Amino acid sequence: MTLKRVLLERIAHSGPMTVADYMQDCLLHPEHGYYAKHEPFGAKGDFITAPEISQMFGELLGLSLAQSWLDQGRPTPFTLAELGPGRGTLMADMLRATRGVSGFLEAAQIVLLEASPRLREVQAKALADFAPKWINDTSELPDRPLFLVANEFFDALPIRQFLRSGTGWSERMIGASDSDDLMFGLGTETPQPALEHRLGDTKDGDLVELCEAAPRIIQDIATRIAQHGGAALVIDYGDWRSLGDTLQALQAHAPVDLLDDPGRADLTAHVDFEVIAGSAAIAKCRHSRLTPQGVFLERLGITARAQSLAKELGGAQLDALISAHRRLTHPEEMGNLFKVLGLFPPQATPPPGLEP
């Protein structure tokens, strides 16, 4: 049975489902979900993330967090965590780059939040020398200093979508058509207390997305940082405030229809960084200015690092390095689309590359 058939039978039994429930099943259904069956990353996958583009990305993130660790007095022991580590490439690059920071790796316990058993096996091989520990939820993070990175994690969290009408909102739902296909529709118009603050910047017909999981996850992280020290780097595509339909499906590096073949494509939506910053503030944690990825990486010295690597390269390898640098930093590539938000304790300074 396909996931589409599973969902159609559920709709026939229970009625239309939310976009969030649809995303959850498409990505994480134990038998038919995208992450259970597919290799999403890299040139042969459906999309490519910054760590897969170049080692420079992970190296610079690792050094930024290591400098924060030094600035906060070298706390020992501490948690070095990643949310959604993919193939373990980013963490491996961070660990390699920080080998020269005296005491850093010795004090670090590697913790990975990963839902996919298949990806956990891949990560275990990539990080075999560091004995990582896996968790299923941010509530399981240890109560000690936390230095964390979340790269393209929040964009894959399920979202709900609401269409404004007057002072009410109609939720976008997924149901079944007469021809037994999946289709979008609208639920009953109702007040939505969680969207009360959006009445001032939206009008009738505007669509707003709501990620209900993000605030709790950020509060788990921010509470530990505020109480015990540490820092977090959240890197994702999106902006300060979400507006409009940003949900997309990707297959073989190209957009596809969201409802055609559930479980076969990756689903993501733009991140609302205002929600992340606000959730951190509730936990008494400070946040940096939202910064374009290209600006962040340039401040950390990515051009100098690229020039250093280029000295040993020629031909196709040199071309690949130049292309990677451009893709990560150029405003028309990932440089402006992706943003970076840093979280840090009230008494500390932001991680290098970011401003208060």
Side-chain angles (χ1 to χ4, degrees), residues 172-213:
R172 198 179 189 205
M173 308 289 285
I174 294 169
S177 70
D178 292 339
S179 56
D180 217 21
D181 278 321
L182 296 168
M183 63 177 289
F184 284 109
L186 289 176
T188 305
E189 182 184 321
T190 57
Q192 292 291 335
L195 295 176
E196 196 75 24
H197 69 294
R198 298 305 307 270
L199 293 175
D201 73 310
T202 57
K203 61 184 185 301
D204 283 6
D206 280 349
L207 186 143
V208 171
E209 296 172 338
L210 183 66
C211 178
E212 294 181 313

Side-chain angles (χ1 to χ4, degrees), residues 64-109:
S64 178
L65 289 181
Q67 185 61 53
S68 285
W69 177 76
L70 292 171
D71 292 343
Q72 293 182 36
R74 303 170 181 254
T76 302
F78 72 90
T79 301
L80 182 61
E82 184 178 358
L83 308 185
R87 295 195 293 204
T89 305
L90 173 56
M91 181 59 74
D93 289 341
M94 291 171 60
L95 294 169
R96 186 184 62 256
T98 53
R99 282 181 302 191
V101 181
S102 179
F104 183 77
L105 295 185
E106 291 78 5
Q109 180 187 349

Side-chain angles (χ1 to χ4, degrees), residues 5 10 93 98 111 128-129 174 176 179 193 240 242 262 267 273 288 293 324 347 355-356:
R5 177 49 51 191
R10 186 185 308 167
D93 289 341
T98 53
V111 175
D129 294 338
I174 294 169
S179 56
W240 184 247
S242 171
L267 303 184
F273 281 96
S288 71
Q293 176 178 290
Q347 70 281 8
E355 300 173 340

Side-chain angles (χ1 to χ4, degrees), residues 33-50:
Y34 178 74
Y35 286 112
K37 298 176 65 175
H38 294 85
E39 174 53 73
F41 307 104
K44 295 181 179 179
D46 293 315
F47 59 90
I48 188 164
T49 61

